[in-house]
Amino acid sequence: MNKYNFFKIEKYKKSIVISFSENNIKADDIYYDLNLLVDDINFDDNIWAVAFDFSKGFNIQNAADEKSIYLSLTELVMNIKKPTLCAINGQIINRAFEFILPMDYRICSDSSSFAMTQILDSNIQFDGATQLLPRIIGLNKAKEMIMFGVSINSKEAISFGLVNIVTNEDKLMNLMIEKLLKIVSFSPLAIQYTKEAINFGNETPTVEGMKMENDLSSILLSSKDRIQAINSFKNKKSRRNFKGK
């Protein structure tokens, strides 16, 4: 899968770890690579989960010209159907901050910090921060970060729910790989449908979200993975060889 100009891909069991080819990169440089990568991930039955390696820090600059300045990287990440994890280190600001918001599980180092500073330049976020951040950390704290350009550290990030785990920098990648391998030990259909139901419910009225949850559960009941899980339980077998079907 290493056919991209700006991404490096490392394969693990039923999963991949993605990193940028350099730490400081332009949004329009990675947009088309990311578009291709998302399609590859969604249509590859051998990829059950995805992790982004930002353990060396990263920064995303705005597009070089006005025609492509509003290309949405966040929307592309939101289109990934498989579970997405990321390991974060260093100062994460503006476009890089927006890039990690749609991900399902975020681990950061204890030296990480997060900020939206566009307001200091009389500008506004345009790639999802005003919509996603309030849903993650709450309306009041999101307004404070965005409207005052406030920076928060790792302790604040975990207390607000922005990240799931804070760890030492030297343990960051090992912990992410541990979580990645854990999630691919589950039924890929069950995990994928769970993600879809949660995301759909978060963006729609409760009744509509419950209908979606019920529909996906009904589909899952007839899957081979579900039947195998039931048979394993009945026969008291702990080993389950899920196929994603």
Side-chain angles (χ1 to χ4, degrees), residues 25-45:
I25 203 158
K26 294 179 180 178
D28 49 345
D29 282 342
I30 64 172
Y31 179 81
Y32 297 102
D33 258 10
L34 184 60
N35 215 328
L36 176 62
L37 178 60
V38 170
D39 284 341
D40 286 345
I41 291 169
N42 287 339
F43 290 103
D44 192 333
D45 292 336

Side-chain angles (χ1 to χ4, degrees), residues 217-233:
S217 179
S218 298
I219 295 171
L220 187 61
L221 285 174
S222 61
S223 70
K224 293 181 180 179
D225 279 356
R226 175 62 175 165
I227 294 170
Q228 183 191 140
I230 293 172
N231 290 335
S232 297
F233 177 77

Side-chain angles (χ1 to χ4, degrees), residues 136-138 141 144-145 152 155-163:
I136 296 171
I137 69 173
K141 184 53 64 175
E144 181 182 11
M145 288 194 70
I152 63 172
K155 290 183 179 179
E156 293 171 309
I158 195 166
S159 68
F160 300 154
L162 179 61
V163 299

Side-chain angles (χ1 to χ4, degrees), residues 193-194 196-218:
Y193 288 173
T194 297
E196 185 175 350
I198 291 172
N199 287 348
F200 182 83
N202 193 47
E203 299 167 1
T204 59
T206 301
V207 173
E208 294 301 316
M210 290 173 66
K211 289 179 181 178
M212 167 66 81
E213 179 186 68
N214 187 265
D215 290 343
L216 291 172
S217 179
S218 298

Side-chain angles (χ1 to χ4, degrees), residues 55 87-89 107-110 165-179:
S55 59
I88 306 161
N89 186 34
I107 304 172
C108 79
S109 71
D110 47 19
I165 300 178
V166 176
T167 188
N168 295 334
E169 184 177 341
D170 57 353
K171 297 179 181 178
L172 186 60
M173 285 305 297
N174 286 340
L175 183 56
M176 188 183 73
I177 297 301
E178 176 186 323
K179 296 297 182 181

Side-chain angles (χ1 to χ4, degrees), residues 34 52 54 60 73 77 95-103:
L34 184 60
F52 287 82
F54 301 132
I60 300 176
L73 302 179
V77 177
R95 292 299 297 272
F97 195 172
E98 289 179 300
F99 190 81
I100 67 169
L101 289 178
M103 297 186 188

Side-chain angles (χ1 to χ4, degrees), residues 17 51 66-67 80 88 100 107 142 147 154 157 188 192 201 211 238 244:
V17 175
E66 292 185 1
K67 291 182 179 179
I80 299 176
I88 306 161
I100 67 169
I107 304 172
M147 296 175 69
S154 59
Q192 186 173 320
K211 289 179 181 178
S238 59

